[in-house]
Amino acid sequence: MEIFNQANVSFILGGFANTIEISVLAIIFSLLFGTILAMVKQYGPKPLSLLVSAYIELFRCTPNLLWILFIYFTVKGDYVFTSVLSFTIFTSAVMAEIVRGGFNSIPKSQFEAARSQGFGFFGTMWYIILPQTFMVIIPALFSQCTTVIKDSSYLAGVNVMEFMYTTKVVMAQAADLSQVLMLYGFMFALYFVLNFGISLIVRAYQRRVVAAA
């Protein structure tokens, strides 16, 4: 039996497309929520800062798979919603620390200069602090993006139709070890191309920053 027939390849690539969709949505929402968490922890009132710190430590000190299982069994919704939600609540804690590290690299004099020009807190953050912060943390953000893409394979454990799961389904049809190895090689190649492509973007950006300095 030809394992790489049109139906199987389409099925596997459909899972790969779902992996990309879930990962992109999770990264976007995690970055947005993580930025808010970082702002509250860094600049918010003490009670809220402590609450956010507790949230961040809770998710940084527990495995992602735990929250995938928790959301899967407790939240109603389609697989995209539950998958994105589980990754967002977990990854936003990591994003928050990345963004906060960027905040720490910005001189406090930036706030004073903005205040002297009549900017309020949110205007200062939006127009001055956040643009500089994201320029600083781009390499770390892209690194976290590759982590999200790789960790999306955990979703196969709850039968989400992502890349790992669809490949496993086709693998069950393999007639011999050579077909299994070909499927593993195919899966390796697509994961590698996607994540290595992201790493090349980061390297190009870093070279550009160095050249401009």
Side-chain angles (χ1 to χ4, degrees):
M1 174 186 175
E2 174 57 49
I3 200 71
F4 282 106
N5 57 51
Q6 183 176 355
N8 284 346
V9 171
S10 296
F11 182 65
I12 292 173
L13 291 180
F16 187 64
N18 289 340
T19 287
I20 294 175
E21 178 187 11
I22 291 168
S23 299
V24 169
L25 289 173
I27 289 164
I28 291 172
F29 287 117
S30 296
L31 182 57
L32 291 174
F33 188 40
T35 299
I36 294 171
L37 292 175
M39 289 172 61
V40 173
K41 182 174 180 179
Q42 186 80 355
Y43 305 113
K46 190 71 170 179
L48 284 179
S49 179
L50 290 174
L51 187 62
V52 168
S53 295
Y55 175 93
I56 291 172
E57 293 306 319
L58 172 66
F59 288 99
R60 288 183 67 200
C61 297
T62 50
N64 194 359
L65 183 58
L66 172 69
W67 299 104
I68 291 172
L69 293 171
F70 176 78
I71 294 298
Y72 179 80
F73 288 112
T74 60
V75 176
K76 301 296 182 182
D78 64 21
Y79 73 89
V80 174
F81 174 76
T82 54
S83 300
V84 172
L85 178 61
S86 62
F87 270 88
T88 297
I89 64 172
F90 179 86
T91 307
S92 59
V94 180
M95 291 293 196
E97 288 299 277
I98 293 174
V99 175
R100 198 169 70 88
F103 287 157
N104 289 332
S105 70
I106 307 301
K108 295 186 184 300
S109 59
Q110 297 279 353
F111 279 97
E112 297 168 1
R115 193 158 43 246
S116 70
Q117 296 298 315
F119 286 95
F121 174 78
F122 290 105
T124 300
M125 293 300 299
W126 183 257
Y127 291 107
I128 299 173
I129 304 300
L130 285 175
Q132 296 181 75
T133 296
F134 286 121
M135 291 294 289
V136 170
I137 65 175
I138 281 177
L141 285 181
F142 274 93
S143 176
Q144 185 58 34
C145 289
T146 62
T147 298
V148 171
I149 292 169
K150 290 183 291 184
D151 286 355
S152 66
S153 60
Y154 293 151
L155 295 169
V158 289
N159 298 331
V160 170
M161 297 287 287
E162 51 77 56
F163 186 37
M164 180 72 75
Y165 178 80
T166 55
T167 306
K168 284 173 57 181
V169 170
V170 173
M171 200 174 289
Q173 306 170 20
D176 53 42
L177 179 60
S178 65
Q179 291 186 340
V180 171
L181 292 177
M182 283 192 293
L183 285 168
Y184 270 116
F186 184 64
M187 187 163 51
F188 164 82
L190 288 188
Y191 272 125
F192 179 81
V193 168
L194 180 58
N195 288 303
F196 187 64
I198 293 173
S199 72
L200 289 178
I201 293 172
V202 175
R203 292 174 192 177
Y205 169 78
Q206 289 175 318
R207 285 195 298 268
R208 182 178 176 183
V209 170
V210 171

